[in-house]
DNA sequence: CGAGTGATTGACTTAGATCAATGACCGTGG
DNA sequence: CCACGGTCATTGATCTAAGTCAATCACTCG
């Protein structure tokens, strides 16, 4: 799923890890693209100055996300990338990526697929954000991430981080969780959120114990 | 930019237009993918049943948008597509697309680029949604769509549609526009929104008349 | 043990959503 | 040619839920 998983070993080996202090530029707009980055730690923001001189944020990449995917084909970067926190990134050199794309159709397909998959999940997040209520956003998140067997979601990281992912303050998320638990819609246990099926759902194949 | 623009003419010719009534399925999950669709008119929703039986919306495609881009490589559809309104779509047959992708590297690159571009703009929209205030969302939109020469944005379609794109009610958008105009931040004329540069900006190269 | 952070809850504020009404405009059909 | 229905643009009044500020408790790490 993440970029590292399907890259040929020689590109992995040729990748370079870079550490950034808060405020460091990773790259600047209209500068030749040297490759695609993956964020390993911290947060890196991509932004651009608008014609009036304001900085417009296009994307804030968090660990596991890649940036500047289109620069596999060369050209210049189209925005500025700045570390918002101390951060660690991995650079996959453009010439190697492009060469692989051109010579190994399996890789080209994998790369294209990855972009399509990311697009699907970005769009899903937009849909999530179309809902204003904390509970609806949470439900959407749970629905998309639920383990079908257990009808539950293991929360990765902290609830605060989840709140950020949902575009909510942590307080709102805590309250939504609390109320949904009160009302019996969900049930929490450690860092796992179990969803209680609506009345009249048979659990089908997974009848345990 | 849109998919039609770089497709080889033979694929364009082979594409099929389909009209949908509200509620019609365009395709269903786990059904063999026959191609990539472009929405010409109306709104088509992509959704999936979650393990608990709720319908989760992944994406609502509007005119100009494509869906199921990953199915260029075949396989099954991964969600259900239903017309939310009366709609018109164009189908680009998967076998032709794949053949072209495999045999014409320029096309493969163009297709990959298109996905990367869409990803950039989807991410930008997520950033926009991270802002809760109507004015900030509007500013973000203006910054991204501003004509650099005129420092203005021509609104496509109605303001109501724009409100939807910004994730706001139309009333909120009207009020935000009105207040920003009152305060001199913007200036409206027909369907164009002109942005008044913050104090102390020289317009640089475009000093006209 | 004390600092730092996450989880949680309470009190209060506020801006967006909602409901409602009005005027402008546009196309259609009689 | 005009009346009528529909939609957009706009504004007012009100509601509500999320944001904000603040406090507490548990836990971890050095």
């Amino acid at each position: 799923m993440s970029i590292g998983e399907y890259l040929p070993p020689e590109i992995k080996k040729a990748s370079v890890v870079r550490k950034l202090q808060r405020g460091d530029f990773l790259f600047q707009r209209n500068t030749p693209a040297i490759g695609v980055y993956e964020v390993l730690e911290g947060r890196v923001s991509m932004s651009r100055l608008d014609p009036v001189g304001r900085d417009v944020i296009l994307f804030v990449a968090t660990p596991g996300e890649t940036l500047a995917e289109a620069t596999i084909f060369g050209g210049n970067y189209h925005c500025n990338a700045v570390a918002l926190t101390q951060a660690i990134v991995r650079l996959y050199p453009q010439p190697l990526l492009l060469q692989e794309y051109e010579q190994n159709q399996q890789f080209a397909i994998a790369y294209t697929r990855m972009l399509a998959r990311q697009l699907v999940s970005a769009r899903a997040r937009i849909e999530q954000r179309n809902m204003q209520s904390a509970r609806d956003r949470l439900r959407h998140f749970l629905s998309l991430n639920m383990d079908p067997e257990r009808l539950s979601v293991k929360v990765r990281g902290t609830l605060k981080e989840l709140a950020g992912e949902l575009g909510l303050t942590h307080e709102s998320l805590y309250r939504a969780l609390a109320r949904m638990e009160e009302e019996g819609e969900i049930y929490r246990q450690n860092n796992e959120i179990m969803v209680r099926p609506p009345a009249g759902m048979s659990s089908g194949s997974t009848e345990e114990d």
Side-chain angles (χ1 to χ4, degrees), chain A:
Chain A
M1 189 130 212
S2 140
I3 187 172
E5 291 174 28
Y6 59 86
L7 281 171
E10 59 271 24
I11 295 189
K12 271 192 204 170
K13 251 173 273 165
S15 72
V16 184
V17 170
R18 227 179 111 185
K19 293 188 206 304
L20 303 167
Q21 293 306 309
R22 183 166 165 236
D24 285 356
F25 272 95
L26 183 54
F27 53 75
Q28 287 188 280
R29 194 178 180 191
N30 294 331
T31 280
I34 61 174
V36 174
Y37 288 94
E38 177 185 5
V39 175
L40 303 178
E41 285 180 33
R43 297 170 5 109
V44 178
S45 116
M46 323 265 294
S47 71
R48 214 158 59 190
L49 284 184
D50 80 0
V52 149
R54 284 186 291 226
D55 205 42
V56 192
I57 295 185
L58 300 173
F59 176 40
V60 176
T62 54
E65 293 183 304
T66 53
L67 36 115
E69 294 92 344
T71 59
I72 181 178
F73 302 119
N76 289 336
Y77 290 114
H78 291 165
C79 56
N80 304 307
V82 180
L84 292 181
T85 64
Q86 199 168 307
I88 304 180
V89 299
R90 184 182 288 275
L91 168 69
Y92 299 98
Q94 183 268 331
L96 293 184
L97 287 173
L98 181 55
Q99 180 188 325
E100 190 72 17
Y101 183 98
E102 285 174 339
Q103 288 166 16
N104 175 355
Q105 195 157 63
Q106 287 320 300
F107 173 72
I109 291 175
Y111 197 79
T112 308
R113 279 204 130 103
M114 175 202 68
L115 291 177
R117 245 182 285 118
Q118 292 201 38
L119 187 55
V120 166
S121 74
R123 285 164 170 175
R125 184 169 304 194
I126 292 171
E127 283 310 315
Q128 175 193 84
R129 298 306 182 85
N130 279 341
M131 303 181 269
Q132 53 290 322
S133 119
R135 302 171 65 149
D136 285 344
R137 288 194 188 173
L138 182 54
R139 284 195 198 102
H140 191 268
F141 169 81
L142 293 174
S143 292
L144 285 181
N145 296 86
M146 203 182 304
D147 173 333
E149 302 295 318
R150 312 186 41 120
L151 299 188
S152 74
V153 177
K154 284 219 176 63
V155 178
R156 315 212 160 299
T158 68
L159 288 178
K160 280 181 89 158
E161 282 161 6
L162 176 59
E165 198 176 322
L166 298 180
L168 299 170
T169 59
H170 54 277
E171 295 100 320
S172 291
L173 175 59
Y174 293 145
R175 285 189 244 266
L177 282 167
R179 238 179 306 163
M180 288 167 75
E181 196 163 7
E182 265 175 37
E183 297 173 13
E185 182 172 347
I186 60 173
Y187 174 75
R188 272 189 291 171
Q189 193 173 277
N190 303 320
N191 60 100
E192 194 171 2
I193 302 174
M194 342 276 286
V195 177
R196 195 158 308 184
M201 296 291 303
S202 76
S203 54
S205 57
T206 42
E207 199 82 84
E208 23 211 50
D209 162 64

